[in-house]
Amino acid sequence: MKRETKCVHSGNFIDPATKGINTPIYTSSVYKYIDSGKQSYPRYFNTPNQEAVVEKLCALESAEAGILFSSGMAAISTTFLTLLDKGDHVVLQDEIYGGTHAFIINQFDKFGIEYDFVKTNAEAVGSAIKDHTRVIYVESPTNPLLTLIDLSRVAELAKEKNILIVIDNTFASPINQNPLEIGIDVVVHSGTKYLGGHSDICCGAVLSNNNIIEKIHKTAVDFGGSLNAVTCSLLERSLKTMSLRVERQTENAMNIARFLENHPQIAQTWYPGLESHTGHAIAKKQMKGFGAMVAFELSREVDSIHFLKKLKLIKPALSLGGIESTICSPALTSHKKMPAEDREKIGVTDKVLRFSAGIEHIDDITADMAQALG
Ligand SMILES: *Cc1c(COP(=O)(O)O)cnc(C)c1O
């Protein structure tokens, strides 16, 4: 099946009692166990609503198995604490999601896990590998400047040494990038973004092979970050339209990127689909679409707060991936705690903004940007 069809059909559970074609919402937290052959329980991650979504996500990411979590961070933290033991070492990019960065620096010392943050490129990752490195953790494209890392090159470097590679695939979504197909071992998602897609649920997922998921499942039962049936059902419904949504969002992002690149009030535009983007060649090689996030820097004459306040349709808001276009200032949000000097060194000035394309008509989005810049 093609991905559009998988979105609609994979994992659907036909209700044996009514023959309804949608997965019913099973709210039970208590299940009879005599003669059932299975002990179902929400925190065992094995109820029908959890399993229906996992099956759909496995089909979309070409994974053997997966687990759903109550947030992206629950998925990420449980994955790290499964794959790493005391004394192990992990290599990470310096441009990673702020919450993941905080988790590492707040928690790893007490577990005795060592880590190094390196520049976002495969060779830097390769040179940071030590004898006790067990995991390489990457994000591509990154937040907020959409830097790319060559995933098959990282896979090559890791395979020689038996190191597992984990990718946070949130920004690309399963529609625009399928890392398990190109040698990555584990995919994590913040389902709060493109999987949910309507800015109204919080969830996460991990996808991999049977062996790795079995291990993560054991830790997940201990930590307990499971997702409830009602949210599973909302997520399942959202996933049915994911290809339509993300394809439109990606097309809108490409058009906005071209508009911004040619606008006199814009100093710089970052979008993997632009020929001018440093990661364009890598993006063409490893992505199915260039994604729906665009970053840009306003020219010296335009004040960023003034610009954000003038927008009428595009909402200045945290988070991303919803059907409505949103925009945020990383300097005031995700990178707020970073000293201004360090922030500017990685290119995140006060004038850099991050745009998340929605599914609105491109003319309306462009007109809003144009009037706010004018
Ligand atoms: C939002 C986000 C997360 C964290 O997900 P939550 O659902 O908020 O816990 C992780 N990685 C990336 C890239 C994100 O954008």
Side-chain angles (χ1 to χ4, degrees), residues 152-200:
S152 45
R153 180 72 190 125
V154 176
E156 248 170 51
L157 293 165
K159 287 282 140 42
E160 288 166 11
K161 302 189 168 143
N162 246 334
I163 299 168
L164 292 175
I165 313 168
V166 180
I167 186 171
D168 182 335
N169 202 31
T170 302
F171 264 43
S173 91
I175 300 302
N176 284 324
Q177 183 165 269
N178 300 121
L180 299 177
E181 292 173 3
I182 47 177
I184 303 296
D185 302 288
V186 183
V187 165
V188 295
H189 278 284
S190 167
T192 315
K193 317 296 164 53
Y194 291 102
L195 308 187
H198 296 71
S199 313
D200 59 2

Side-chain angles (χ1 to χ4, degrees), residues 50-102:
Q50 291 166 324
E51 288 178 347
V53 177
V54 165
E55 199 175 322
K56 202 185 283 294
L57 288 175
C58 284
L60 288 163
E61 280 287 23
S62 302
E64 280 176 9
I67 317 186
L68 263 189
F69 287 89
S70 54
S71 71
M73 281 315 302
I76 292 167
S77 56
T78 307
T79 300
F80 272 126
L81 295 177
T82 302
L83 303 179
L84 294 163
D85 274 327
K86 189 157 97 183
D88 287 348
H89 176 253
V90 52
V91 179
L92 306 111
Q93 290 166 204
D94 54 7
E95 296 171 74
I96 60 168
Y97 175 69
T100 308
H101 185 264

Side-chain angles (χ1 to χ4, degrees), residues 246-256 271 291-292 357 362:
V246 175
E247 279 163 27
R248 168 65 84 87
Q249 288 171 296
T250 300
E251 189 188 315
N252 281 348
M254 183 77 230
N255 284 318
I256 272 294
Y271 182 66
I362 185 63

